[in-house]
Amino acid sequence: MDADGARAGRVLRETFDQLYDGGRTGRYGWDQLFKTEKTHFGTLVEINLQREFEFADGAKLDYCIAGYEVDAKYSQTMWAWMLPPEAVGELCLVVTASDERSMFSLGVVRAAREYLNLGANRDAKKTLAPPGRDAVVWLHRNSVLPPNVLLRLPPADVGAIFAQRSGQQKVNELFRRAVGQRVSRAAVETVAQQRDPMKRVRGNGGARQHLAPEGLAIFGGDYRWQRQTADQLGLPIPAEGEFVSAYLAPTGPSHPGPSAEIAGQHWRVSTPAEAAPLPPALYGGSWSLARRSSER
């Protein structure tokens, strides 16, 4: 089941990142891709959706779902799906996504002849006519695509990140510039462009330790207690493989706003000017090894 679209959104997020291949290319946006790569995106979406949802192969179309032949079609532009002759009269899974707007839509429509435009391209593929557009049953309409933080940041901030000399300095700057935003593993890989990019985030010599004197903490989604702490502080909750950074300052248990107790001290989100150096419990080693095995 995927009632909230989280699984489909994750597949599309991973497909964008797979095509960008940021860890090797430094790319993070659709406009940075070659035309041939953009054409290949639909094939990757088809493959990755099948892997995630374990659809069986179809006899003549892409999938067989609950005994029905289904053709998968992706278009970067809404309503621009090109439906082949073999799909006429059959069910089609239509998908579109915008990485810049962090949104996607996924629906099902039967490609009945009366739903198709009369014109066709040289491969005899047709698009949906207005009646066909009205017939789409949306499983997810304008749903949330996990964000691409490098597209959400102002261009000046992205430029400042990539202007740093080393991979470690770039990762440090990423977390300074993306405070309060979900930062994916792919974004870290794209910025670092080094082997073992996650090492650049860790507490033992990575961004967590480097930024602690500035009062900047990094919460990761791979551990439950870090997700819970981010939630208590009123921050976006990082998913698995994601991070959220925030400047912190000490506070008391009666603080009226969001706060969290860490290593016997209450902390709140602050501005860089108010932030206080963080204790080792907030960055040392693998972050409180005693919790590591029980709260993953």
Side-chain angles (χ1 to χ4, degrees), residues 225-294:
W225 83 273
Q226 293 188 31
R227 295 194 300 270
Q228 291 173 338
T229 303
D231 187 30
Q232 291 168 2
L233 289 167
L235 298 169
I237 302 173
E240 186 176 349
E242 291 184 337
F243 307 92
V244 172
S245 62
Y247 287 99
L248 301 182
T251 189
S254 59
H255 176 66
S259 66
E261 183 177 352
I262 307 168
Q265 169 69 57
H266 282 80
W267 296 82
R268 62 175 175 84
V269 173
S270 71
T271 65
E274 298 175 307
L278 305 177
L282 268 169
Y283 67 85
S286 296
W287 274 50
S288 186
L289 293 176
R291 296 185 176 186
R292 188 174 182 185
S293 60
S294 61

Side-chain angles (χ1 to χ4, degrees), residues 137-167:
V137 176
W138 294 107
L139 304 179
H140 308 295
R141 186 75 163 97
N142 294 330
S143 294
V144 176
L145 180 73
N148 180 341
V149 70
L150 293 172
L151 289 179
R152 289 193 163 190
L153 290 174
D157 285 346
V158 176
I161 292 167
F162 281 100
Q164 302 300 311
R165 297 186 62 181
S166 71

Side-chain angles (χ1 to χ4, degrees), residues 94-107:
V94 291
V95 188
T96 187
S98 170
D99 203 7
E100 289 191 352
R101 295 188 296 128
S102 299
M103 294 174 61
F104 78 96
S105 295
L106 183 153

Side-chain angles (χ1 to χ4, degrees), residues 56-183:
D57 288 333
K60 69 172 185 174
L61 300 178
D62 295 320
Y63 311 139
C64 181
I65 304 175
Y68 293 94
E69 292 280 327
V70 179
D71 203 35
K73 288 299 168 191
Y74 177 85
S75 173
Q76 191 72 8
T77 304
M78 180 67 82
W79 312 121
W81 303 288
M82 303 302 296
L83 308 178
E86 61 269 23
V88 174
E90 304 287 356
L91 292 174
C92 293
L93 181 71
V94 291
V95 188
T96 187
S98 170
D99 203 7
E100 289 191 352
R101 295 188 296 128
S102 299
M103 294 174 61
F104 78 96
S105 295
L106 183 153
V108 178
V109 64
R110 186 172 293 280
R113 292 187 184 279
E114 61 270 24
Y115 288 167
L116 304 178
N117 286 311
L118 295 178
N121 68 3
R122 61 185 179 183
D123 297 322
K125 294 180 179 179
K126 297 177 179 289
T127 55
L128 289 173
R133 298 179 181 187
D134 293 338
V136 176
V137 176
W138 294 107
L139 304 179
H140 308 295
R141 186 75 163 97
N142 294 330
S143 294
V144 176
L145 180 73
N148 180 341
V149 70
L150 293 172
L151 289 179
R152 289 193 163 190
L153 290 174
D157 285 346
V158 176
I161 292 167
F162 281 100
Q164 302 300 311
R165 297 186 62 181
S166 71
Q168 183 62 68
Q169 290 171 334
K170 291 175 183 177
V171 172
N172 293 350
E173 195 66 20
L174 170 64
F175 285 108
R176 290 191 187 101
R177 302 274 174 168
V179 167
Q181 298 191 53
R182 291 161 59 191
V183 175

Side-chain angles (χ1 to χ4, degrees), residues 35-48:
K35 183 178 179 180
T36 52
E37 292 176 307
K38 294 177 180 179
T39 303
H40 186 48
F41 188 79
T43 302
L44 291 177
V45 169
E46 171 193 327
I47 294 169
N48 292 340

